[in-house]
Amino acid sequence: MSGIEVITFGCRLNTYESEVMKAQAEKAGLNNAILVNTCAVTGEAVRQARQAIRRARRDNPHARIIVTGCAAQTEKQTFAEMAEVDAVLGNEEKLSSASYRSLPDFGVSAEEKLRVNDIMSVKATAPQMVRHIDGHVRAFIQVQNGCDHRCTFCIIPYGRGNSRSVPMGAVVDQARRLADSGYREIVLTGVDATSYGGDLPGAPTLGLLAKTLLKQIPDIRRLRLSSIDSIEADAHLMGLIAEEPRFMPHLHLSLQHGDDLILKRMKRRHLRADALRFIAEARRLRPEMSFGADMIAGFPTETEEMFGNAVRLAEEAAIAHLHVFPYSPRPGTPAARMPQLDRSLVKDRAARLRATGHRLHQSHLDGMVGTRQWLLVENNGLAHTENFTLVAAAGLRPGELVPATITGHNGKHLDMQLTAAAA
């Protein structure tokens, strides 16, 4: 091979950072290299990364393989000891061209491979400018990194460090650059995005940032947020939901569970009633609002009754896009030291919660039939509605915004008929 290939795992923030990594590596003159941007959210994510590294080495025996991302930050020795790996960069180092200029030669020891600093020592997030997000018709912008909270199941703060925000002016500049490049939709991303601004002068909020972007950049046709913590939603955000048609009616919530005792043992900051209250208020302000959510099945000490509360929360909230994670113990987290459930029970509960999610998604698709929607056409023959529902859109040009009437669905995505744009 020649050039630089990037293999990305995990979240939208990683997708954005992969573009930055590639640009910085090219700036440093790196060639014939594979950058693997890993995720540490579950043990399975780490396993998949290791598998991809071995496959990349088999397919490209002479390429230089550089591993980075959250798993490289939290399990640096694991990757350094892999014979297939030439270098390991931390989450801060991966964004600097200097890191790629100072890579060690082939055949060095595991210790010499490491370029991973103490992520907790990083106090600021520098703005990273990109004009293009490879393979995506929606553009992602990193507005925040790290997390000050310590949920008992989560290893991510140890891979990302404490919360730090990108100054608002830099975010506006990046959004304008992407809008000028032709992106119709922009997604604001972060590790704990709703904590945005707490470390900046004047403590601006995520809602104020989103409001400012839409006011200052009329060419942004659609604005989305990545996963948010509803307990941190501010008045500006609620105002956007109520009044701004360019703010998309879909939010992905970090719910994690529906039982109050489990939520406390997870060290979450919301209770069941808080989540339901936020969802009800958002729907009151914007009836077409849809919700996605992350939920964990089989958390330590979870009883059948507690699990039932999680299922009922998903049902009461009518979560249209439910992402279910079977609990995965992460070494170094408090939950890993709690009494664990049998793995077969964890998998069974995850399957049952996914079945609930499937049923809720079918109900959501049914409710979309007959509605008129604006669709953003993706690269894979599909499109997304404003409330983030997939629609079959074969033959349409990627990146195009088109009006359509929803005519039915096949259980996975909606079918549509193109219509004339409203006057």
Side-chain angles (χ1 to χ4, degrees), residues 271-330:
L271 296 175
R272 175 193 187 87
D274 298 321
L276 290 171
R277 185 163 47 247
F278 171 80
I279 290 168
E281 176 63 8
R283 283 203 174 109
R284 185 187 70 79
L285 296 172
R286 192 95 170 259
E288 69 269 31
M289 180 72 70
S290 75
F291 291 93
D294 294 330
M295 296 190 77
I296 295 172
F299 188 80
T301 76
E302 180 190 76
T303 65
E304 186 64 28
E305 180 182 2
M306 293 169 174
F307 171 71
N309 286 336
V311 172
R312 283 186 287 278
L313 175 65
E315 292 172 336
E316 290 175 39
I319 301 298
H321 312 280
L322 188 62
H323 293 187
V324 176
F325 297 87
Y327 171 73
S328 173
R330 308 299 287 124

